[in-house]
Amino acid sequence: MLRPGLCRLLPGLLTRAAQVWGRCCSSQTSKHGQYSVVSLYHLNRVERVGEVVRDIRGWLEEVGATGRVYFNSQGVNCQMCLESDKLEMFKEVLGNKLGVEQDQLRVKVHLADFNVFRKLRVRQGKLLENLDDDADIISERGEHLDREG
């Protein structure tokens, strides 16, 4: 139950919230999908991890990307945000550094009107909990099952 004083303020607060929302999300002030929010797990052997980290960090800093990108010898874990017009170049640069084709990266992308992360972190470290450089799970593959089998 709302208190009587709050009920008098509520219409004004809602109007103000709608004005702020309209100003922030209006297509007049920003292009829809100006930023791409990228999520990627690529579990595959990475050679020369230190070199890959250094080169990818330099490129991401240059284009103003934010978020986190972790590498180790087992693969890549990436949740980051960059301007949408830089997305294809990111996939090309990362694919070249990892020695894989772009279509093998399986990048998931959502669009946003603003940069969703505060800063950029690119480092060599764990990809997933309990998956560090010493683990060797990527060589262990399951067997694909189909409905008939």
Side-chain angles (χ1 to χ4, degrees), residues 35-43 60 69 76-84 86-96 98 100-111:
Y35 291 92
S36 291
V37 182
V38 176
S39 179
L40 162 74
Y41 286 99
H42 182 73
L43 299 177
L60 291 173
V69 185
V76 181
N77 174 351
C78 168
Q79 278 75 43
M80 60 172 242
C81 184
L82 75 165
E83 292 178 0
S84 291
K86 307 282 192 295
L87 179 61
E88 291 305 314
M89 182 61 74
F90 166 70
K91 292 192 282 189
E92 182 178 327
V93 167
L94 184 61
N96 287 341
L98 298 177
V100 298
E101 297 293 323
Q102 287 183 38
D103 59 338
Q104 291 178 318
L105 291 175
R106 294 187 296 171
V107 176
K108 306 288 188 256
V109 178
H110 294 277
L111 299 178

Side-chain angles (χ1 to χ4, degrees), residues 50-147:
E51 178 184 321
V52 172
V53 168
R54 184 189 69 236
D55 293 348
I56 294 294
R57 178 187 294 124
W59 189 85
L60 291 173
E61 287 173 347
E62 189 177 304
V63 299
T66 58
R68 65 177 181 79
V69 185
Y70 298 155
F71 292 91
N72 74 16
S73 63
Q74 305 292 314
V76 181
N77 174 351
C78 168
Q79 278 75 43
M80 60 172 242
C81 184
L82 75 165
E83 292 178 0
S84 291
D85 62 345
K86 307 282 192 295
L87 179 61
E88 291 305 314
M89 182 61 74
F90 166 70
K91 292 192 282 189
E92 182 178 327
V93 167
L94 184 61
N96 287 341
K97 279 292 160 189
L98 298 177
V100 298
E101 297 293 323
Q102 287 183 38
D103 59 338
Q104 291 178 318
L105 291 175
R106 294 187 296 171
V107 176
K108 306 288 188 256
V109 178
H110 294 277
L111 299 178
D113 292 330
F114 56 94
N115 195 332
V116 300
F117 298 109
R118 280 187 318 156
K119 63 182 182 177
L120 177 65
R121 289 179 303 197
V122 180
R123 67 180 180 91
Q124 184 173 351
K126 286 184 188 179
L127 301 184
L128 302 167
E129 196 58 39
N130 298 322
L131 179 60
D132 54 18
D133 271 336
D134 297 331
D136 188 24
I137 66 163
I138 62 170
S139 61
E140 299 174 19
R141 301 286 175 161
E143 187 177 319
H144 181 75
L145 301 176
D146 59 19
R147 290 185 289 191

